[in-house]
Amino acid sequence: MPKPQVLEFSGQFWLNRKGCGYLGAGRVELLEHIDECGSIARAAKRMGMSYKTAWDAVEAMNNLADQPLVVRATGGKGGGGTLLTDYGKQVIAGYRLMEAEHRRFLARMEAGVKNFDQINNLLKAINMKTSARNQFLGQVSYLEKGAVNSEVKVDMGEGLEIFAIVTNEAVEDLGLALGKETMVLIKSSFVLLSPDEKLRISARNRLYGTVREVVPGAVNSEVKLELPGGRVLTAIITREALTELGFVPGQRACALIKASHVILAVND
């Protein structure tokens, strides 16, 4: 009878915020390369990933962080680039310390568990997964109940606020209350964009920012709007709309979102 292979105690160390993946070894390594290179493009090349994948990871981290981890620098001898903030450097240092303690914990566990080679399944943390492209962390700052629905305002910091209309039953199920930490989820297809910041429309939410990137597609196009605090809102619009409205990087724009299209989530 062949000798059974010995299983090794291993695991990945991730930090989540309200059920969303925030920091892992790969993302931290990307941040370290950005700090060394001063460029997301060069950092992505070192990591063997595409520029878009690297930017998406940076946006996800910035959107979930209390402060931006990465910012763009303009001008200077090198013509600008991408910089890690002091807060970003502190986050890296803290992650590396916790990661080292995590490795020591796994080593102690492996040494203390007998017949570990017979263990076939390990419990895994259950993370909230969603198809919504835009995810922002905030706190409930206003809550008004009506006969059927409730109006909820979430403060996302840096002057950013978002209104959501949810059922009273959802308020009870989620335990929403003033000060409650809440995740705001918005599908990119629900985001309307306008170059006219004074446009009058019934959409309750208006988020102002600067177009950072435009990715044309055969049918639909992706437009990324940089909001205050380094957060990024992604919108999917038709190719015809992109041609008509003429969005280009650096242009000011307004994102319009109906309160009924905003999804709220908690992870208690």
Side-chain angles (χ1 to χ4, degrees):
M1 179 180 295
K3 183 178 180 181
Q5 294 183 347
V6 176
L7 300 179
E8 296 180 354
F9 219 139
S10 64
Q12 294 182 337
F13 179 61
W14 262 91
L15 294 177
N16 297 334
R17 296 202 74 173
K18 286 300 172 182
C20 291
Y22 175 44
L23 284 176
R27 286 186 174 180
V28 169
E29 184 180 356
L30 175 62
L31 292 177
E32 291 172 334
H33 285 311
I34 291 173
D35 191 31
E36 295 172 3
C37 301
S39 163
I40 286 187
R42 290 196 293 270
K45 187 175 181 180
R46 284 191 181 184
M47 295 284 292
M49 66 173 60
S50 70
Y51 175 80
K52 185 179 187 304
T53 299
W55 254 125
D56 285 346
V58 169
E59 288 174 0
M61 288 184 280
N62 274 352
N63 285 344
L64 291 173
D66 298 320
Q67 304 174 37
L69 307 180
V70 177
V71 295
R72 285 191 170 188
T74 57
K77 184 178 180 181
T82 309
L83 300 176
L84 213 62
T85 63
D86 289 338
Y87 182 70
K89 294 177 182 179
Q90 293 172 11
V91 167
I92 288 177
Y95 177 90
R96 289 305 186 193
L97 286 173
M98 289 185 283
E99 182 186 43
E101 185 59 36
H102 178 251
R103 286 197 298 268
R104 288 191 287 270
F105 166 75
L106 291 177
R108 291 195 299 270
M109 288 291 292
E110 185 172 357
V113 176
K114 295 182 180 180
N115 299 321
F116 181 65
D117 58 323
Q118 297 179 4
I119 298 176
N120 295 317
N121 297 308
L122 298 176
L123 295 177
K124 297 180 179 180
I126 300 176
N127 291 329
M128 179 180 67
K129 297 183 183 295
T130 174
S131 62
R133 183 70 179 275
N134 299 296
Q135 303 178 22
F136 304 100
L137 190 64
Q139 290 186 330
V140 175
S141 58
Y142 173 83
L143 175 60
E144 180 68 27
K145 282 190 175 183
V148 178
N149 296 323
S150 294
E151 182 180 62
V152 183
K153 182 170 70 173
V154 179
D155 183 355
M156 302 186 296
E158 300 292 337
L160 294 175
E161 297 177 334
I162 199 86
F163 284 90
I165 297 295
V166 299
T167 65
N168 292 338
E169 183 179 1
V171 170
E172 298 298 328
D173 290 343
L174 297 175
L176 297 179
L178 294 180
K180 177 81 171 183
E181 199 165 38
T182 307
M183 182 66 67
V184 173
L185 309 172
I186 308 168
K187 294 184 65 174
S188 55
S189 58
F190 286 165
V191 180
L192 306 178
L193 290 181
S194 173
D196 183 1
E197 297 187 21
K198 297 181 180 180
L199 180 69
R200 299 181 65 181
I201 192 171
S202 61
R204 182 67 185 277
N205 297 297
R206 293 170 175 261
L207 301 178
Y208 303 97
T210 303
V211 175
R212 193 172 79 179
E213 183 180 1
V214 177
V215 183
V219 179
N220 293 322
S221 300
E222 180 181 88
V223 180
K224 294 185 178 182
L225 191 68
E226 185 167 349
L227 304 174
R231 291 175 172 83
V232 175
L233 182 72
T234 300
I236 297 295
I237 63 176
T238 64
R239 186 179 182 87
E240 289 77 9
L242 178 62
T243 301
E244 181 180 348
L245 298 173
F247 289 117
V248 293
Q251 177 183 354
R252 290 286 299 176
C254 176
L256 306 165
I257 307 159
K258 294 180 64 175
S260 58
H261 285 169
V262 177
I263 301 170
L264 301 181
V266 299
N267 187 29
D268 290 334

